[in-house]
Amino acid sequence: MELAYYSDYAVRLVNTEEPARNKDSLTSVDAVRELFGANGQAARRATDADVTRFRSVRARLRAVFEAADGGDETLAVDLLNSLLLEFPVSPQISGHDFRDADGKPDWHMHLADHPSNATAGYTAIAAMGLAFHLTSYGVDRLGLCESAPCRNAYLDTSTNRSRRYCSDRCATRANVAAYRARKRLETERTAETGRGAETGRSAETAQPTTPRTER
């Protein structure tokens, strides 16, 4: 399993909150456990105390995306490094459940669960995955959705670095909004042109004529 896979941990956590919409789905220990996905063993370690801890980590991870989205590469790296130092990973070589054509283990790097608590384990994995993505593809591959008021985090894996939205839904909504804005502008310009032409004709009609002098 590639380490880049773990970068999704960071995205999932950051997107549990939509600040502009005043929405927050990270409100219970069950919500925390859902973030672990198929990693049930790690999820079972979560307690009510992890809700507050996860929210704190979420704010720090969002700050990384905000710095990257704003073009401040150094700040993004510094913020991510602070998480890596505070929540170190435990890498292991693993081959479980993966076999090649000859039936031999398909050895790959795996990030082991952190023994202390659910937050530490999740953060270590999320930070390392994000760091791997950043160093492999570039800081500009970390973004925030441009479809206001969404601002969800995303990882750009497009070939031409063209991604601007977190989902197809947001991309469609933004395109529709842009289309409507263009049509509104065209209508306003047409109306202004019509009013200008009408004003010109009125001015010609109202133009006083010079009286002819009889001799």
Side-chain angles (χ1 to χ4, degrees), residues 50-63:
D50 284 300
V51 176
T52 301
R53 289 195 289 253
F54 262 69
R55 285 180 170 179
S56 176
V57 170
R58 179 180 64 188
R60 295 172 66 180
L61 284 171
R62 175 169 281 278

Side-chain angles (χ1 to χ4, degrees), residues 122-197:
Y122 191 98
T123 306
I125 291 173
M128 177 54 73
L130 199 57
F132 185 85
H133 192 95
L134 184 152
T135 54
S136 297
Y137 304 107
V139 179
D140 59 341
R141 293 291 187 142
L142 278 60
L144 293 173
C145 186
E146 292 186 13
S147 179
C150 177
R151 303 301 284 167
N152 272 351
Y154 66 82
L155 299 171
D156 185 1
T157 56
S158 64
T159 56
N160 57 355
R161 300 173 183 262
S162 61
R163 185 169 180 179
R164 298 165 54 199
Y165 306 103
C166 68
S167 64
D168 290 340
R169 180 182 179 183
C170 277
T172 299
R173 184 167 57 239
N175 289 334
V176 169
Y179 172 78
R180 289 175 176 172
R182 287 196 302 271
K183 296 300 290 184
R184 242 186 344 262
L185 183 59
E186 290 173 4
T187 301
E188 290 172 358
R189 285 177 175 171
T190 300
E192 289 176 358
T193 301
R195 286 195 298 269

Side-chain angles (χ1 to χ4, degrees), residues 22-44:
N22 198 29
K23 291 183 178 180
D24 187 349
S25 62
L26 192 59
T27 58
S28 66
V29 66
D30 288 336
V32 169
R33 288 171 179 158
E34 287 179 6
L35 289 169
F36 285 91
N39 194 345
Q41 181 178 354
R44 284 192 291 272

